[in-house]
Amino acid sequence: MTDRSILLVEDNRDDEELTLRALTKSNILNPVVVARDGVEALDYLLYRGAHATRPRELPQVVLLDLKLPKVDGLEVLRVLRAEPATKVLPIVILTSSVEEQDVIRGYGLGANSYIRKPVDFDQFVEAVRQLGLYWLVLNQPVPF
Amino acid sequence: MTDRLRMALAEVSAAASAFLESTSDYDQLLQTIARSGARALLGTCSVYLFDDARKNLTPVAAHDNDPEVMTKFGELLMRARSAERPIMAALIANHVLFMPTLDPEAMRLDLAEDGYELFTKLGVIGLIGVLLRVRGQLVGVLVVLRHRADVPPLDEIDREIAIHLATFAGLAIGNARLFRDAQSVEIVRRSEARAVQATMFLDAIIENIPDMVFVKDADRLSYVRLNRAAENLLGRPRDALIGKNDFDFLPRAEAELHVAKDREALRGKKLVDIPEEPVETTRGERWLHTKKVPIVDATGEPRYLLGISQDITNSKLTMATLRAAKESAENANRELESFSYSVAHDLRTPLRSIDGFSQALIEDFGDKLGEVGLNYCVRVRNSAQRMAALIDDLLKLSRVTRSDLRRRPVDLGEMFRAAFAPLQRETTRHVEIVVSGDLKANADAKLLAIAFDNLCGNAWKFTSKLEAARIELGTRVDNGERVYFIRDNGVGFDMAYREKLFGVFQRLHPESEFPGTGVGLATVNRIIQRHGGRVWAEGEVGKGATFYFTLGDTGEVP
C-alpha cells in the first residue's frame, strides 16, 4: 500500500471520527488529511491561502461530503473539475443524501463514485473498507 | 240612328271601359289605347307621348290586328326616326289631322326619305291623327294609318271616333299618371320606412352587443358613436362623450396610448389587436382587450375608426389569483423539497453517531459494560437503525408525492415478477408466483414499480411462515372498471382494521413477528391516488389477503 494521503472533506466531527475509525478498522493506514469546509478543501487541493506553501502533492482519493459550510460539496467538485491540475483527481462523494437530484448533479459534475453513508456502523465500516480497497489498492492512480 | 253610328258608339264605349280597367297599370293602358284605336279604326294605331321636357314625341305603344303588319311596322318605325315630324307638326297646328285618302307619292317631299319608305312599304292610303290632352295640357298624339283597301275609306264618323277615343285616352292617361305617382310616393314612403327599420335593427344590435363598441372620426379621433356597454364600462353617458376625444376625459398618458393605436389602425388600414390596455373609468382602472378596425370610404380613404373592447379586468384578476396560487404551490413544493433534503441529511447524521459510537463503546469498553450494558448498547443501535429505516421510508413517500406522473404502457406481470426477483435471490423459500390475465396498463412505470415492491414485499413477508405460499396477480372488470389485484394465502388480517391499513405508521402486526415501518401501504395508496385510482383490501385472519387497485380513467391501454 502506498502512503499517498486521503483527503476527507467533512464538517461533522462525529462523522470524521467514525470515518477515521472505519478506515483504521479496515487496515487502511494512509495518512488522512481533513478539510472541514469547502473553502479549506479547495485551498488544500489548489495550494491557496493557508496551504499556499505546502508541498505539491495531491491525495490519492478525496472523500467529499455534499453538505458543507461556506462552499458546498457540489461547488467544490465543479471548481476542481474546471482546474487542469485536479480535473482527473479521484473524487468520491460520501454523503447522507440519496436525493436523486444530488446523485445526478454529482455525476454530472464529474464525481467518480457516489456512496451513501449507512446509519448502521457495521455497514459503514464495510463501505469504507471496500472504498479503500478499490481506490487505494485496486485502482491504478493518475500519475502526477 | 244608323248601324254605322251604333257600332261606332259601341266601339268607343268598349274602349272607354277598357281604359278604365287599365288605369292602375300605366304601360298596359298605353297598349290598350293602341289596340282600341286599331280595332275601332281598322288600321295601325300608334301612341306618341312627349318626353318630360315636352320637346320630343316618342312612340310608346302601337298595334295592328295583323301581327305580320305589326312586325313590319315595328321594323320600319325603328328606322324612321324623323318620319312623322312634318305630319306631327301639321297635326299639332291643326288639332286634328284627317286625310281619308292619301298618296305617298304626292307627299314624298313632305315625308322625307324614311317616312316615304314607311308609308310605301306599309301601303298607307289614309291617316287620322288626334291630340292627346290631360286636363287641357297637350301630352301626345294618337295616329291611325289606314293601309287596307278591303274596307270603306275613312269617313267623318271615323274622325269622330278618333276624337272621342283620344278624349277618353287623355282622361285615362291622366288618371293612370296620378295613380302611378301616388304609387311611387307610396313606394318611396315604404322604402324609407324599411330603411328606418333596418337602421333601428342595426342600432339595436350595436346597442345590445355586450362589449364596448365605439366609432371615432378619422381626423380628430372624436367619438361619433358609442353603445350602452361603452357607457356602462366608462361610467359616462354618451352625451358626455360624443364629439370628445380621449384627451378630454382620460389621463394624458393613457389617451396617448389609445390614440397611437387608433392612428396605427388608420395608417395601416388593417385591424389592430390590443390584448391588454388600461382605461380610466369612473369606477377606477379597468383592463380591456380591444380590436380597432379602420372604416374606409369608396376611395379607400379611412373615414372612421371602429373599436370593440372587451372588459377583461375580472379574468385578469382570476389569472393573477391563479398565478399566485400556482406560485405558492410551487413555493410549498420547494419548501417540502428542502425539508426532505434536511430530513435525509441532517436527521440521519446524528443517528449515525448514535449507532457508530454505541458500537465503539461495545468494541472498546465492552469488558467494562458487562452483559446488561452491552445489551443496552445493542438496543440503542437497533433503535437508531430503525429510525433510519423510518426516515428512508418517509422520504420515499414524499418522493412519490413530489415526482411527476408520466404514463406509458407497462406490463404489470413483468413488474410483478421483477419485484420478487431480489427476494427470491436471498432465500431458499419456495413461493408460487402466478400471473393471470392480460396485464398491460398505461401507468407511470417508476411509481408503479415502487407500489409493486411494497405490495409484493408484504405478500412475501406475510406468507413467510407457510410451507406452500402462493402469490397471484390478476385482473377483472367491476362495473365496467378495470381492477387489478394481488392475492396471497398468508396470515391475512382482520377486516375490522382495513381502514387503518393505508395510514402512515399503521401496523397490524408486532415488529417482532413481522418487521416493517408501516409506511409501505401509505406509499402504495399515494401512488394509486396519483394515478387517479383507488386501492382497497380484503382479507381474513389466517386465510390470506387480497389488495385491489385501479389506475384511473387513462389506465387502460387502448
Side-chain angles (χ1 to χ4, degrees), chain A residues 12 14-15 17-18 21 25 65-67 95-100 102 116-122 124, chain B residues 341 344-346 348-349 351-353 355-357 359-360 363-364 381 384-385 388 392 399 402 446:
Chain A
N12 184 300
D14 284 2
D15 272 3
E17 173 109 25
L18 292 170
R21 188 178 171 89
K25 281 175 76 78
D65 194 7
L66 287 185
K67 217 177 170 203
T95 180
S96 296
S97 165
V98 273
E99 278 297 298
E100 207 173 64
D102 283 343
R116 192 194 194 194
K117 295 178 196 166
V119 166
D120 184 336
F121 187 67
D122 303 330
F124 186 51
Chain B
Y341 191 89
H345 194 277
D346 298 356
R348 284 171 55 90
T349 305
L351 285 177
R352 208 162 37 247
S353 294
D355 188 82
F357 290 114
Q359 179 60 19
E363 287 170 5
D364 297 358
R381 290 195 66 199
Q385 285 166 25
D392 285 352
R399 222 168 283 149
R402 281 180 289 149
K446 214 163 144 184

Side-chain angles (χ1 to χ4, degrees), chain B residues 109-348:
Chain B
L109 285 177
D110 282 342
L111 285 171
E113 196 55 35
D114 46 6
Y116 174 73
E117 189 193 8
L118 174 72
F119 275 43
T120 48
K121 290 262 174 78
L122 215 56
V124 175
I125 49 171
L127 177 154
I128 306 176
V130 281
L131 298 181
L132 292 169
R133 292 177 189 277
V134 172
R135 286 180 290 279
Q137 192 123 42
L138 180 63
V139 295
V141 298
L142 183 133
V143 178
V144 177
L145 299 174
R146 173 68 70 79
H147 49 79
R148 287 169 62 181
D150 59 331
V151 290
L154 292 167
D155 60 7
E156 278 300 315
I157 292 174
D158 289 324
R159 185 175 177 273
E160 286 303 311
I161 290 171
I163 290 168
H164 279 89
L165 276 179
T167 306
F168 285 122
L171 278 171
I173 288 171
N175 284 345
R177 282 185 174 178
L178 276 177
F179 191 81
R180 187 185 61 178
D181 292 350
Q183 234 178 358
S184 67
V185 166
E186 173 65 14
I187 287 165
V188 168
R189 202 188 62 75
R190 271 195 215 149
S191 68
E192 272 172 4
R194 266 200 298 273
V196 167
Q197 234 168 9
T199 309
M200 279 170 64
F201 180 59
L202 288 176
D203 282 350
I205 288 174
I206 293 170
E207 196 59 14
N208 287 294
I209 288 174
D211 290 336
M212 164 164 158
V213 176
F214 58 90
V215 179
K216 295 173 171 180
D217 76 67
D219 292 334
R220 289 194 54 246
L221 293 176
S222 53
Y223 289 92
V224 296
R225 187 91 191 239
L226 290 144
N227 70 347
R228 191 159 51 221
E231 288 181 306
N232 293 342
L233 180 68
L234 297 172
R236 295 166 205 273
R238 70 191 73 185
D239 296 348
L241 297 166
I242 300 291
K244 303 267 174 58
N245 67 30
D246 288 334
F247 289 99
D248 295 330
F249 66 97
L250 289 178
R252 186 164 183 84
E254 210 170 85
E256 274 168 359
L257 196 79
H258 294 315
V259 165
K261 289 291 181 188
D262 293 346
R263 294 279 177 224
E264 185 186 331
L266 292 169
R267 208 172 34 241
K269 293 183 187 176
K270 62 179 169 47
L271 180 143
V272 169
D273 188 304
I274 308 142
E276 268 186 23
E277 58 171 6
V279 68
E280 190 64 32
T281 74
T282 52
R283 291 178 298 150
E285 186 176 73
R286 306 291 290 176
W287 286 86
L288 305 179
H289 174 192
T290 299
K291 286 173 182 157
K292 291 181 173 172
V293 192
I295 298 176
V296 298
D297 63 13
T299 67
E301 273 311 298
R303 281 279 170 261
Y304 296 102
L305 178 91
L306 167 67
I308 299 172
S309 296
Q310 193 182 8
D311 186 346
I312 55 163
T313 314
N314 290 344
S315 60
K316 208 175 141 67
L317 279 175
T318 314
M319 287 290 284
T321 315
L322 276 177
R323 243 196 316 274
K326 187 166 174 266
E327 242 165 62
S328 91
E330 279 166 359
N331 280 341
N333 217 28
R334 265 195 296 280
E335 264 171 48
L336 181 65
E337 232 156 271
S338 85
F339 170 75
S340 306
Y341 191 89
S342 298
V343 169
H345 194 277
D346 298 356
L347 292 190
R348 284 171 55 90

Side-chain angles (χ1 to χ4, degrees), chain A residues 42-43 45-48 58 75-89 91 109 144:
Chain A
L42 288 173
D43 283 354
L45 292 169
L46 301 173
Y47 314 108
R48 302 190 308 206
L58 285 174
E75 178 63 13
V76 169
L77 188 58
R78 198 188 61 74
V79 173
L80 291 178
R81 287 310 185 220
E83 289 288 333
T86 53
K87 201 177 170 65
V88 292
L89 179 68
I91 297 174
L109 288 170
F144 289 100

Side-chain angles (χ1 to χ4, degrees), chain A residues 7-9 60-66 77 81 89-95 110-116 131 134-135:
Chain A
L7 175 66
L8 175 64
V9 189
Q60 192 155 354
V61 65
V62 177
L63 304 181
L64 178 67
D65 194 7
L66 287 185
L77 188 58
R81 287 310 185 220
L89 179 68
I91 297 174
V92 175
I93 292 174
L94 187 63
T95 180
N112 297 82
S113 285
Y114 192 108
I115 291 165
R116 192 194 194 194
L131 193 154
Y134 181 79
W135 287 106

